[in-house]
Amino acid sequence: MIHNQEMIPQQPAPSNTIGPLAWMRANLFSGPINTVFTLIGLYVLYLLLVPTIQWAFINADWIGTSRDDCSREGACWVFINARFSQFIYGLYPSDETWRANIVFAGFAVLIAWLAIPRLPGKRWVAIFALTVFPVTAYVLLHGGYFDLPRVPTHRWGGLMLTLLLAVVGMVGALPIGIVLALGRRSNMPIVKSFCVVFIEFWRGVPLITVLFMASVMLPLFLPSEISVDRLVRALIGITLFQSAYMAEVIRGGLQAIPKGQDEAAAALGMTYWKRMGLIVLPQALKMMIPGIVNTFISLFKDTTLVMIIGLFDLLGIVQAALSDSRWLGFSLEGYVFAAFVFWIFCFSMSRYSQYLERKLHTGHKR
Amino acid sequence: MSVRPNARPVGQKPPFWRDRAKRALIFQLLLVAAVAAFLLYIVGNAQANLEARGITTGFGFLTNTAGFGIVQTLVDYSSQSTYGRTFLVGLLNTLLVGALGVLAATIIGFTVGIARLSPNWLLARLANAYIETFRNIPLLLQIFFWYFAVLRTLPSARDSLAFGEVLFLNVRGLYLPQPLFESGFGIIPAAFIVAIVVSIALMVWNKRRHEATGKRFPAGWIALALILGLPLLGLVATGVPVTWNVPELRGFNFRGGVTVIPEFLALWLALSIYTASFIAEIVRSGIQAIPHGQTEAAQALSLPQKLVLRLVIIPQALRVIIPPLTSQYLNLIKNSSLATAIGYPDLVSVFAGTTLNQTGQAIEVIAMTMAVYLTISLLVSMFMNWFNARVALVER
């Protein structure tokens, strides 16, 4: 028998398994096909990034007030600068924008409070956000009370209008969606078929026809003495459309709750509404938060369609600014700016939903 | 255990509001009554409003002369045609951009989705950047970008971008050569159909033989060779009876060839690129949903990597992929209605836009438009449900 009496001395890991070179060999150049892909990828990156950086940063003009300050060699961000307040507030009178700012600030604080897990009193903040805040925001934005000058809704626009449409559409759609989802799973055949028809109808047509319907047909359906504001008409259309999508998301959540939960609650003698309100819905909603956030993201992007019925949301106001004769030919800058704003909002929402998904993962998975 | 003091003696009926069945009946009757009252209310209002504005109702307007032109029509159309014809033109244009959009979005989406899972770090990152960029920007903005910022800033006809002297791109659109078929051409589509029939027969035979004997036959390659080769053979045998009508610059514009209008290009690009970013994520999640044990088990049977993919991974991934893919196809077709923002003559643009404005018959026009989209949605989801039921996992 052979025994090795000596200890083999410790050695560093072979140099071809650690370090940046080894990483590159494993992840970028592991074979001929991989190498070709890497080279093509690098070339594409070069083609995309170099001109973009040149255009957006190196050759760009940042300071100035009119188009004469633009060298036209790269992007002219002067245009965005000159129009910035319009892009944010629309045609809101410039003396009154402090009112919009207060609403923005309040909104940001409430969202942050609800989104950051460590802060206490979520329930009360949520109740405040759904009751006191909308009324305050309306009084501030619309005016007409407390000596605030009135600002009619057709002067609202820009990012302010985009956020307003998205938030009101979402908050309005959630309760209607819950009712529809419960109705779709109900044992009562007439209730169930009403809900199925309602959901399938709104999901089957494009939002743009819904908006056309809201702007053209809604006035026909109401008595001639009632006139509904154009913004309110768009909001009704968006809310109905979105509630159908919401109902399907919530239905998915309801289906994922084990039947035993409902049966156990029934065995304790709870009524239908108590079972739903205290046992089933809280679990389903928690499970569906990622789905609800996804619906919110698509709603946020869909608000751009209101420009087709003549409301000036962020995209609408950018589009209007592009046809200003003093600033012709700056469409690229305008679209890049609008895309950037929408991207920031949507991307952070999707990241938040992924974070929630990870955080809530332990709740329903063993 | 205590007895509930107010427990009902056996045999006595509960009051009707405590009886679940009766309560459900009453509730449903109330709901029907409320919906009926609501409908009566809006119909009554609509009638009064229409009378007050002097708008006639009914679908009679469809036979009136439209009196406006449309830039892209797949069927004969002139400004003397009827509103009914306008509807048809719009519908066909919607279907055209929808079908080509679905095709392009599927190809881009699958490519990007698979690249996202590539072991190549750079490729995976690039695919991820594509997805995160395009799905977080509103579609309407992307349509505007392609139309106003890219295609509207192309050079004029005189300085068009030429690709090999047959393809020209300028501010008025893309000019392609048009094939002109001569008399002997009929044999080529015939050869194509024969090749498809033979290929299907071959596939069926191969599947039966495989199930019976376990032997495989490269039927896919043979079918591909047949479908490509037989028409090509026909083409050579008949002496290539096709001439190309190549677009030519005459005066200020191109003559001849096929013109693809910039509105179509912008809408098609935006729809495909936007939807592809969602399809890519669906493909990725579908592939990732397959447990790793499946791959390992297949490898343990010493199946080659190609067959592992084709027989184990892809069939199972498709089950996960198809239902959300269906929704994306439907979204793409519905989103094609954004055409109206740049003036591509789709259904919403020519019918719910121009026709509605000219006739004022809002209820009929919007109802017809919505009915078209509802029908498309229901047909597509019926087909996909059928397809899904075929591939779905059958459990004990």
Side-chain angles (χ1 to χ4, degrees):
Chain A
M1 277 181 94
I2 305 166
H3 285 280
N4 200 350
Q5 299 286 337
E6 285 168 42
M7 286 281 281
I8 299 173
Q10 263 191 4
Q11 285 180 352
S15 63
N16 60 356
T17 58
I18 52 161
L21 259 175
W23 179 88
M24 276 169 71
R25 200 172 297 143
N27 291 303
L28 295 176
F29 304 103
S30 64
I33 299 174
N34 229 336
T35 308
V36 170
F37 276 147
T38 303
L39 293 179
I40 294 175
L42 283 175
Y43 183 63
V44 169
L45 212 59
Y46 168 79
L47 282 187
L48 286 177
L49 278 186
V50 171
T52 310
I53 292 172
Q54 286 255 328
W55 177 81
F57 299 106
I58 297 173
N59 293 337
D61 302 295
W62 297 86
I63 311 156
T65 47
S66 74
R67 70 179 297 157
D68 302 329
D69 299 315
C70 295
S71 61
R72 304 314 298 262
E73 280 162 13
C76 177
W77 301 121
V78 176
F79 167 61
I80 305 298
N81 244 335
R83 293 281 176 153
F84 191 75
S85 75
Q86 226 184 54
F87 291 163
I88 303 297
Y89 307 106
L91 302 174
Y92 211 80
S94 51
D95 297 340
E96 307 290 334
T97 48
W98 60 271
R99 285 152 55 177
N101 285 338
I102 293 179
V103 175
F104 273 135
F107 179 67
V109 167
L110 285 176
I111 287 290
W113 197 298
L114 290 172
I116 297 171
R118 266 173 305 166
L119 294 175
K122 287 262 185 324
R123 172 175 304 191
W124 295 108
V125 175
I127 290 172
F128 176 80
L130 290 176
T131 53
V132 182
F133 182 68
V135 177
T136 322
Y138 174 79
V139 169
L140 269 172
L141 289 178
H142 189 264
Y145 308 93
F146 308 113
D147 290 339
L148 289 172
R150 270 193 60 187
V151 182
T153 54
H154 68 254
R155 305 205 63 168
W156 302 12
L159 184 63
M160 188 181 102
L161 187 72
T162 298
L163 286 173
L164 182 98
L165 287 165
V167 173
V168 175
M170 198 63 195
V171 172
L174 193 61
I176 305 178
I178 291 176
V179 171
L180 284 172
L182 289 176
R184 193 168 185 165
R185 285 172 57 80
S186 154
N187 294 322
M188 296 183 260
I190 298 177
V191 172
K192 188 178 174 177
S193 42
F194 268 135
C195 292
V196 170
V197 169
F198 186 92
I199 293 171
E200 293 302 329
F201 174 77
W202 293 109
R203 268 167 24 107
V205 296
L207 177 57
I208 196 170
T209 58
V210 174
L211 288 173
F212 270 139
M213 191 169 112
S215 76
V216 183
M217 276 161 84
L218 199 66
L220 285 180
F221 289 151
L222 292 172
S224 50
E225 60 272 14
I226 301 178
S227 74
V228 183
D229 188 87
R230 191 160 49 175
L231 177 62
V232 177
R233 275 185 263 165
L235 278 173
I236 291 174
I238 287 178
T239 307
L240 287 177
F241 183 78
Q242 216 58 39
S243 60
Y245 280 88
M246 207 55 188
E248 286 297 274
V249 170
I250 293 166
R251 181 165 77 115
L254 290 176
Q255 278 176 349
I257 306 297
K259 217 172 170 214
Q261 295 281 332
D262 189 39
E263 288 167 348
L268 289 174
M270 286 181 157
T271 63
Y272 175 81
W273 291 109
K274 274 194 175 158
R275 288 191 329 257
M276 288 301 146
L278 296 175
I279 309 289
V280 178
L281 271 176
Q283 298 186 64
L285 287 179
K286 179 185 162 195
M287 205 180 270
M288 289 326 287
I289 285 178
I292 293 172
V293 176
N294 280 346
T295 321
F296 195 87
I297 294 174
S298 66
L299 169 61
F300 191 78
K301 288 183 293 177
D302 281 347
T303 54
T304 50
L305 301 199
V306 296
M307 70 166 284
I308 289 168
I309 57 165
L311 290 170
F312 290 102
D313 77 310
L314 177 59
L315 182 59
I317 203 102
V318 169
Q319 186 74 2
L322 294 178
S323 54
D324 179 351
S325 56
R326 282 171 300 164
W327 289 100
L328 283 180
F330 290 93
S331 50
L332 207 52
E333 284 87 344
Y335 292 136
V336 168
F337 170 75
F340 183 68
V341 174
F342 276 107
W343 189 85
I344 293 279
F345 274 93
C346 294
F347 185 71
S348 40
M349 279 192 276
S350 84
R351 276 295 132 113
Y352 182 66
S353 112
Q354 283 167 15
Y355 156 76
L356 277 181
E357 215 169 326
R358 278 196 301 276
K359 193 181 140 206
L360 300 176
H361 208 59
T362 47
H364 49 92
K365 278 234 171 113
R366 273 175 281 265
Chain B
M1 264 183 67
S2 63
V3 178
R4 282 162 70 192
N6 57 351
R8 210 173 47 243
V10 181
Q12 196 178 322
K13 272 187 160 183
F16 72 90
W17 65 87
R18 294 226 182 252
D19 186 329
R20 185 178 288 179
K22 282 183 187 143
R23 213 166 47 184
L25 191 69
I26 291 168
F27 182 68
Q28 297 193 70
L29 286 177
L30 281 177
L31 181 72
V32 171
V35 172
F38 175 73
L39 287 178
L40 278 177
Y41 174 71
I42 63 170
V43 168
N45 281 333
Q47 272 173 347
N49 282 323
L50 289 175
E51 251 169 59
R53 295 180 199 186
I55 299 173
T56 50
T57 48
F59 291 92
F61 73 98
L62 287 175
T63 53
N64 294 352
T65 306
F68 61 90
I70 299 178
V71 286
Q72 178 190 301
T73 58
L74 295 177
V75 288
D76 287 336
Y77 178 85
S78 73
S79 56
Q80 300 306 309
S81 303
T82 60
Y83 286 122
R85 196 78 176 165
T86 312
F87 174 76
L88 181 69
V89 167
L91 177 60
L92 288 176
N93 282 341
T94 292
L95 292 178
L96 177 75
V97 79
L100 291 178
V102 162
L103 191 71
T106 309
I107 295 171
I108 305 173
F110 272 77
T111 315
V112 175
I114 291 166
R116 174 88 170 69
L117 290 174
S118 156
N120 187 313
W121 182 85
L122 184 68
L123 202 60
R125 283 302 128 107
L126 279 176
N128 196 25
Y130 173 95
I131 294 168
E132 291 295 358
T133 309
F134 287 107
R135 74 167 180 183
N136 285 324
I137 296 174
L139 176 61
L140 188 61
L141 182 71
Q142 296 191 35
I143 294 176
F144 281 161
F145 173 81
W146 289 112
Y147 187 62
F148 290 110
V150 177
L151 296 175
R152 287 274 112 176
T153 51
L154 284 175
S156 66
R158 226 165 246 293
D159 316 303
S160 328
L161 305 172
F163 302 94
E165 296 306 314
V166 284
L167 259 130
F168 300 94
L169 185 64
N170 62 42
V171 70
R172 295 197 192 174
L174 179 67
Y175 292 80
L176 305 168
Q178 180 185 24
L180 295 176
F181 305 117
E182 288 162 16
S183 53
F185 188 75
I187 196 162
I188 284 123
F192 186 63
I193 291 166
V194 168
I196 287 177
V197 171
V198 173
S199 304
I200 291 172
L202 186 75
M203 293 283 202
V204 172
W205 172 78
N206 181 45
K207 197 174 173 221
R208 287 215 188 117
R209 198 178 80 126
H210 180 223
E211 278 164 6
T213 65
K215 284 178 188 156
R216 297 191 69 87
F217 193 68
W221 292 110
I222 294 177
L224 190 71
L226 269 176
I227 289 170
L228 289 180
L230 219 55
L232 215 69
L233 208 70
L235 207 64
V236 175
T238 51
V240 195
V242 183
T243 50
W244 292 92
N245 180 5
V246 180
E248 251 183 294
L249 185 65
R250 290 215 201 103
F252 292 106
N253 207 353
F254 281 90
R255 296 282 159 81
V258 185
T259 314
V260 186
I261 55 173
E263 289 82 11
F264 175 86
L265 282 179
L267 186 66
W268 181 60
L269 273 172
L271 278 175
S272 319
I273 290 174
Y274 179 75
T275 313
S277 66
F278 291 89
I279 293 179
E281 280 295 89
I282 290 168
V283 170
R284 177 179 71 95
S285 67
I287 294 174
Q288 280 182 339
I290 308 306
H292 202 61
Q294 295 281 333
T295 318
E296 289 166 347
Q299 282 165 346
L301 292 173
S302 79
L303 274 180
Q305 187 60 35
K306 213 169 70 185
L307 286 185
V308 173
L309 264 180
R310 212 175 74 203
L311 299 176
V312 180
I313 307 291
I314 291 175
Q316 296 192 75
L318 275 185
R319 284 184 187 138
V320 187
I321 289 172
I322 283 172
L325 191 64
T326 312
S327 325
Q328 288 308 323
Y329 287 169
L330 284 177
N331 278 346
L332 188 145
I333 294 170
K334 283 194 289 169
N335 281 335
S336 72
S337 59
L338 296 186
T340 183
I342 53 167
Y344 172 73
D346 83 319
L347 183 65
V348 171
S349 171
V350 297
F351 198 66
T354 318
T355 302
L356 193 153
N357 282 338
Q358 288 193 2
T359 61
Q361 296 198 290
I363 294 178
E364 292 86 351
V365 168
I366 301 268
M368 278 175 77
T369 312
M370 283 186 159
V372 165
Y373 284 102
L374 270 179
T375 315
I376 295 175
S377 295
L378 293 178
L379 283 179
V380 172
S381 53
M382 256 165 61
F383 170 76
M384 292 306 258
N385 281 337
W386 167 81
F387 187 63
N388 188 37
R390 261 181 57 108
V391 296
L393 185 66
V394 182
E395 281 187 291
R396 280 158 303 197

